[in-house]
Amino acid sequence: MSEARMKELRSDVDELNELLKLAKRKRAQDLISLEVRKLETELIKIKETIAKNAQAESTPAPSTAPAQSKRYQIKLNGYGWDQSDKFIKIFVTLKDVQSLPKDQVFCKLTEKSMELHVKDLDNKDYLLVINKLLDSINVEESYWKQKTDMVVIFLAKSHPNVKWSHMTELEKKTEDQRNNKMKPPTPDMDKSDPQESIMSLMKNMYETGDDDMKRMISKAWYEGQHKKKDTLDL
C-alpha cells in the first residue's frame, strides 16, 4: 500500500512541477508550490515510516539505545546583498555549509520571491524567505553556490541594467514613507504674508525634527524675539 501511494505521490509532484513551469501568475505559482511541498512532505513521512519498519524488523534497537535527536528549523533573517547589471547577489553566512551534499542546499524561486533551504547542518534545518522582490527575476537563469561558510544566490534580473534601490517592495515603501514624513512642506509662495510662510515652515520642522533640531529652532525664535524687542525699545 505504501509503495503504491509513493508512486502516486511522485507522479502528482512531477505533474505539478510541470504545471508550475507553465504558470504565469504569482498566485497560481504560490498555490502550486504549496501543494508540491505538501505532497513532498507526505512522501518523506511515508519513506521514514517504511525505513523505521524495515529497521525494526531486521535489527530491533536495544532498550538502552539513546533516542534520536529531533531536528529543528531555524528561520534566517540576516543576509547581505549586492548587484551587477545582470544579477542580484544574496550572501547568507552559515558555518560549514560547504560540507553538505548539494541536494541538501537548494532554492525555491518564483518571479517575485525566493526561499533558501539548508537541510541537516549540525542537526538543524535553515530557511531564508524573501517575498515581494522589488522587481521580477528570471527563474531559469538564476542559480546558487556553496562557498566556505556561505551560500551565494544569484538571482537573474528580468530587466538587466536596471538598478535595484532595495531588495523588496516593502523596504522601498517603508523608506519612502519615512522620507516623506521627514521632508518639510514647500512654503506657499502665493501667501500674502511671507512671515506666515516662514512660521509655518519652522513649526513643521519643530514638530518633525529631533531634539537637536527643536533646541536650535527654540533658540532662534528666542533670539529673534529679543532682537525684535530691542528694536521696538529704540
Side-chain angles (χ1 to χ4, degrees):
M1 179 66 182
S2 295
E3 292 293 339
R5 179 59 179 160
M6 286 177 63
K7 185 176 180 180
E8 182 181 348
L9 287 172
R10 287 195 189 99
S11 298
D12 289 343
V13 169
D14 291 341
E15 187 167 338
L16 285 172
N17 281 326
E18 290 300 320
L19 288 175
L20 183 59
K21 294 178 181 178
L22 298 175
K24 301 297 183 184
R25 297 181 59 82
K26 183 179 183 304
R27 178 169 176 80
Q29 292 171 345
D30 290 344
L31 290 172
I32 295 172
S33 296
L34 179 61
E35 189 62 29
V36 169
R37 286 196 290 270
K38 288 180 180 178
L39 296 179
E40 288 175 340
T41 300
E42 186 177 349
L43 260 174
I44 291 171
K45 289 181 178 179
I46 293 175
K47 289 179 181 179
E48 290 176 348
T49 300
I50 293 174
K52 287 179 181 178
N53 292 339
Q55 184 178 8
E57 291 174 1
S58 59
T59 53
S63 58
T64 56
Q68 185 178 5
S69 58
K70 185 177 180 180
R71 217 162 71 213
Y72 294 93
Q73 184 183 79
I74 299 175
K75 289 189 176 181
L76 300 171
N77 295 311
Y79 59 88
W81 71 283
D82 195 2
Q83 62 183 309
S84 63
D85 290 341
K86 294 183 178 180
F87 292 96
I88 294 294
K89 293 174 279 188
I90 300 174
F91 306 94
V92 182
T93 301
L94 284 171
K95 184 174 176 57
D96 297 327
V97 70
Q98 72 278 3
S99 65
L100 292 179
K102 291 186 180 298
D103 61 354
Q104 290 177 218
V105 180
F106 59 92
C107 287
K108 295 182 178 180
L109 306 175
T110 71
E111 286 188 355
K112 293 283 285 184
S113 70
M114 68 136 286
E115 294 181 6
L116 169 66
H117 295 260
V118 178
K119 300 292 186 181
D120 199 10
L121 177 59
D122 293 332
N123 203 37
K124 297 181 184 69
D125 293 342
Y126 293 87
L127 173 65
L128 171 66
V129 178
I130 306 178
N131 289 318
K132 294 186 178 179
L133 296 170
L134 185 65
D135 200 354
S136 60
I137 62 172
N138 187 322
V139 174
E140 297 298 327
E141 294 183 8
S142 300
Y143 61 97
W144 53 92
K145 289 183 177 180
Q146 290 167 245
K147 296 181 177 292
T148 303
D149 298 334
M150 181 179 292
V151 180
V152 184
I153 303 103
F154 295 81
L155 302 179
K157 295 179 178 180
S158 291
H159 305 100
N161 302 314
V162 174
K163 294 294 182 183
W164 291 24
S165 59
H166 300 77
M167 177 60 67
T168 65
E169 295 176 0
L170 179 60
E171 290 174 0
K172 185 177 187 304
K173 182 179 179 181
T174 300
E175 183 166 333
D176 288 346
Q177 289 176 342
R178 183 168 60 249
N179 290 339
N180 290 335
K181 183 178 180 182
M182 296 301 296
K183 183 179 179 180
T186 303
D188 188 355
M189 301 307 294
D190 293 334
K191 287 186 177 179
S192 57
D193 186 358
Q195 186 68 22
E196 184 180 347
S197 296
I198 295 173
M199 291 301 295
S200 176
L201 176 60
M202 292 186 67
K203 180 180 178 182
N204 183 268
M205 291 173 65
Y206 184 87
E207 290 176 349
T208 60
D210 56 17
D211 291 342
D212 290 337
M213 176 65 75
K214 290 179 179 178
R215 282 194 293 269
M216 183 181 71
I217 294 174
S218 296
K219 181 180 178 182
W221 182 85
Y222 177 81
E223 292 176 351
Q225 291 297 313
H226 274 267
K227 287 181 180 179
K228 183 177 180 182
K229 181 180 179 182
D230 291 343
T231 302
L232 292 174
D233 290 342
L234 291 176

